[in-house]
Amino acid sequence: MMRRVIVILATALSLIAATAANAQRTPPEGLQTDLSSHEVLIETNFSGVRVIIFGAVDNSRQPSADSGLYDVVVTLRGPDETIVARRKERVAGLWVNNRAMAFRDAPSFYAVLSTRPLADIAPPPVLRKYGLGFESLALIPAHSENGYDGEDFALFRDAVIQLKREQKLYVEAPSGVDFVGRSLFRGAFDLPANVPTGEFTADIFLFSGGRLLSVDETRVTIGKAGFGQFVHATAVGSPLLYGVGAVVIAVISGLIASAMFRKY
């Protein structure tokens, strides 16, 4: 009897050791990602551009592209800015801006792509921790006119997100990332004509069963080029020269228009 117990224990210990050894030999999943372009130049005829995000899962364990073992979430965030939301109210028969709230460190551009709806990928605490999706986007009130309460905060926050969505500067695409193989995936960001300039950060998250496995990061710079860059640089670097030039151009345009109308 004792010999049988010893044999069983030895077998169990051997299985545990073998399992641990296999786990050590199997490396964890990781991410290798890149963008189709790391620099976007905006010229006077700029009407928008598409930036492709692509990558691969190192040590992928999923048997096929449609097995659903992994989920990928990609965010693209533009430079932070202060956004002021104002609420119009009727005063003496006129609609005027009354209450306002400013949000500091808000992304000027924010897009999130994913293989599935975010609620199906990870629980709310995880989404909030990494700021994934509009519901988890951290918009911090800087100050407000006439004070505010929790209900006001929610209203102004929703108004900012809705306005940015209408301008195509906030985008959420729950099926914007596709696996094209057992490890390869791709997605696309459509940057509108009014996209802000500056350095954008793309964060890529790999999930499985609601658990975060790996994170990667890459960047893209959006800047002005051509005559637009010259005007922007002059306005920022030499505001006096820019102002004088604008006045001279306005005067010359007025004189030309006056001469044309006088002729006819």
Side-chain angles (χ1 to χ4, degrees), residues 63-253:
S64 62
D66 56 356
S67 65
L69 178 61
Y70 299 124
D71 282 298
V72 173
V73 181
V74 185
T75 63
L76 183 65
R77 183 179 179 121
D80 290 342
E81 64 179 3
T82 297
I83 302 175
V84 180
R86 301 187 182 277
R87 184 175 182 178
K88 289 184 178 293
E89 296 184 358
R90 196 175 182 86
V91 178
L94 300 175
W95 288 98
V96 297
N97 291 324
N98 190 5
R99 307 189 66 181
M101 182 179 296
F103 295 89
R104 59 181 174 86
D105 299 331
S108 56
F109 179 91
Y110 176 79
V112 55
L113 315 178
S114 55
T115 49
R116 294 188 294 162
L118 294 172
D120 299 335
I121 294 177
V126 176
L127 299 177
R128 286 195 297 268
K129 180 179 179 180
Y130 297 101
L132 302 179
F134 295 151
E135 295 296 326
S136 304
L137 186 61
L139 293 179
I140 305 171
H143 67 273
S144 63
E145 298 175 5
N146 304 323
Y148 70 92
D149 54 26
E151 183 179 354
D152 284 337
F153 170 74
L155 288 174
F156 281 109
R157 182 184 185 279
D158 292 344
V160 167
I161 292 176
Q162 181 60 32
L163 178 61
K164 286 287 191 177
R165 293 185 68 175
E166 293 174 357
Q167 297 172 343
K168 298 182 180 181
L169 295 176
Y170 280 15
V171 180
E172 191 172 281
S175 58
V177 180
D178 295 310
F179 273 94
V180 295
R182 60 184 301 270
S183 64
L184 300 177
F185 61 87
R186 69 186 297 276
F189 295 101
D190 290 317
L191 305 181
N194 59 333
V195 65
T197 58
E199 188 174 67
F200 286 56
T201 302
D203 291 307
I204 305 93
F205 303 84
L206 177 65
F207 288 91
S208 181
R211 184 169 59 93
L212 181 63
L213 301 180
S214 182
V215 181
D216 196 21
E217 178 184 297
T218 185
R219 298 177 185 273
V220 57
T221 301
I222 300 177
K224 295 183 180 294
F227 182 71
Q229 167 63 15
F230 170 75
V231 173
H232 176 76
T234 304
V236 175
S238 304
L240 179 59
L241 178 61
Y242 174 80
V244 172
V247 171
V248 170
I249 292 174
V251 171
I252 293 175
S253 299

Side-chain angles (χ1 to χ4, degrees), residues 26-75:
T26 304
E29 295 94 331
L31 284 171
Q32 298 289 336
T33 63
D34 202 358
L35 297 171
S36 60
S37 176
H38 288 275
E39 184 178 26
V40 175
L41 297 179
I42 299 177
E43 298 186 1
T44 53
N45 60 346
F46 180 77
S47 60
V49 68
R50 169 167 286 192
V51 176
I52 307 296
I53 176 79
F54 55 90
V57 179
D58 289 337
N59 309 310
S60 174
R61 293 177 175 81
Q62 68 176 357
S64 62
D66 56 356
S67 65
L69 178 61
Y70 299 124
D71 282 298
V72 173
V73 181
V74 185
T75 63

